[in-house]
Amino acid sequence: MTAEEKGLLGSEYYASKPLYPLEKTAAVINMDGMSPFVPSRDFGIYGTAKLELLDDLKKVAGERGLRYTPDPKPEAGYFFRSDHFSFAKRGVPALSYSAGQDWEVGGVAAGKAASDDYTAKRYHQQGDEWKPDWTFAGAARDLSILYTLGMQLADSNQWPNWSADSEFRATRDASQGQRK
């Protein structure tokens, strides 16, 4: 996707003119929140969406010793400002992965400090650029979790859905007959 910062232009374009029908898209796993730092003991997603895909992610991450931590700032509206939203509003179960803040080295204090620093000084600003001291150890570990989740979906007959009380559930349910 591209041009997220300009109003989700890339994801909105694709979701409105998909190469593959959205009715037959199992899920969207957005990876904007990959950590260039050390691995964390937890993970999250942007927003508070309830969906089977999150349950699947919790299981895969739990097998690797990670625990789920709810979005610490749901009021910031990141769920609605990230590329996965273009798909969610069309019924496709979608989440945006967020690296945790309880770092294996430095704990919550180090993770929160890095997150606060990034938000204040780099998020959608000119300072948002590569740093030579990044190890990407957290991202490498997290990518293996997301890859495993994706492979499990691809190798199964599973069609994740939204929770019964989700505003996106009715749209997904309406396309049920198009999936095998």
Side-chain angles (χ1 to χ4, degrees), residues 4-125:
E4 176 195 61
E5 295 83 1
K6 301 290 185 188
L8 308 179
L9 297 180
S11 63
E12 187 60 33
Y13 180 84
Y14 181 88
S16 67
K17 298 168 180 49
L19 183 59
Y20 300 101
L22 296 184
E23 297 82 6
K24 295 182 179 183
T25 300
V28 170
I29 303 168
N30 190 22
M31 298 176 237
D32 278 353
M34 306 311 290
S35 174
F37 305 109
V38 299
S40 61
R41 297 178 187 100
D42 63 339
F43 76 94
I45 62 169
Y46 295 130
T48 57
K50 292 178 256 171
L51 66 164
E52 294 167 2
L53 185 60
L54 176 57
D55 295 336
D56 296 339
L57 176 57
K58 287 178 184 178
K59 183 177 181 216
V60 172
E63 291 168 354
R64 308 232 177 131
L66 272 74
R67 70 182 182 287
Y68 171 72
T69 301
D71 186 344
K73 297 185 254 182
E75 70 281 358
Y78 294 129
F79 178 85
F80 305 99
R81 297 175 12 205
S82 191
D83 285 320
H84 72 283
F85 182 66
S86 298
F87 299 90
K89 70 183 183 179
R90 289 172 171 86
V92 180
L95 56 75
S96 190
Y97 184 86
S98 174
Q101 290 189 356
D102 184 6
W103 287 8
E104 290 179 357
V105 177
V108 174
K112 184 168 178 356
S115 177
D116 291 347
D117 179 72
Y118 174 77
T119 301
K121 298 178 183 172
R122 285 178 270 298
Y123 179 66
H124 292 180
Q125 298 177 50

